[in-house]
Amino acid sequence: MKLQKKLFAIGTTLLLTNTLYAQDGASLFDTKCAACHVTSRPSDKSTLVAPPVMGVMRHVKMRYTSKEEAVAFISAYALNPEASKAVCMPQKIKRFGLMPSQKGNVTKEELQTIASWMYDNFPPQGFQGMGRGQGKGQGKGCQTR
Ligand code: HEC
């Protein structure tokens, strides 16, 4: 019984730390990135100004398999967007334009937190791309249609 209590306490602590961390990333994303990148599945794609996060992360994860690499990529891209580095398909850049550098809007440290949160939460479980099914999604762009 005692051990169980202890384990419960440890579990709760971990959960709290995790939640705090996640909220930090979420609120940073909200203030720094969400103006352009929506975090839910868009009901009206014609109003989008940038690919939704779930699409972005799906493609980031196709290219970068470890969290470390993915976080490094996202942080670097947000400060220095370049078409040659993009994991989005060229037609996305054509449609939305290249992402404007977020230099001055967000720091490297904040980006670590944001990118880590993005990696942990997107794409949401069961996400299969926008529209069509899984499998054929490779290379369809950040916002798969
Ligand atoms: C002013 C609008 C705007 C803001 C603010 C913005 N983005 Fe973007 N972002 C875009 C657009 C447009 C694209 C798609 C074109 C591209 O890939 O450059 C994009 C693409 C991306 C991509 C995919 C890059 C790729 O490989 O093509 C990542 C990662 C990303 N954004 C991260 C972020 C993060 C992190 C933030 C917040 C710090 C952020 N963005 C804020 C407009 C924005």
Side-chain angles (χ1 to χ4, degrees):
M1 201 50 192
K2 256 192 178 158
L3 181 65
Q4 258 175 350
K5 259 195 183 156
K6 222 180 207 169
L7 285 177
F8 180 76
I10 294 171
T12 315
T13 316
L14 283 177
L15 198 74
L16 277 178
T17 342
N18 254 335
T19 316
L20 280 179
Y21 187 65
Q23 268 178 349
D24 207 15
S27 55
L28 275 172
F29 185 91
D30 227 44
T31 46
K32 312 278 182 182
C33 320
C36 296
H37 295 283
V38 298
T39 53
S40 55
R41 187 184 274 266
S43 50
D44 181 4
K45 289 180 191 161
S46 68
T47 60
L48 294 177
V49 295
V53 197
M54 56 200 76
V56 169
M57 286 317 295
R58 185 156 171 266
H59 282 264
V60 167
K61 287 180 178 179
M62 280 178 191
R63 175 88 62 95
Y64 300 98
T65 45
S66 77
K67 178 172 179 179
E68 212 181 349
E69 284 175 306
V71 167
F73 166 75
I74 297 165
S75 310
Y77 194 89
L79 296 177
N80 296 301
E82 260 179 60
S84 63
K85 291 189 205 151
V87 297
C88 288
M89 298 305 287
Q91 68 264 28
K92 296 300 155 193
I93 296 186
K94 224 182 206 166
R95 174 175 167 197
F96 297 116
L98 193 66
M99 171 166 149
S101 168
Q102 297 304 299
K103 245 180 227 164
N105 176 35
V106 65
T107 67
K108 265 189 193 157
E109 290 70 33
E110 287 170 333
L111 276 168
Q112 292 292 313
T113 309
I114 294 173
S116 173
W117 174 81
M118 287 166 77
Y119 187 93
D120 290 343
N121 291 280
F122 295 95
Q125 232 176 20
F127 178 71
Q128 316 225 307
M130 316 254 175
R132 270 177 265 163
Q134 180 72 306
K136 296 178 202 121
Q138 278 269 353
K140 286 252 177 63
C142 278
Q143 182 211 340
T144 317
R145 293 158 165 277

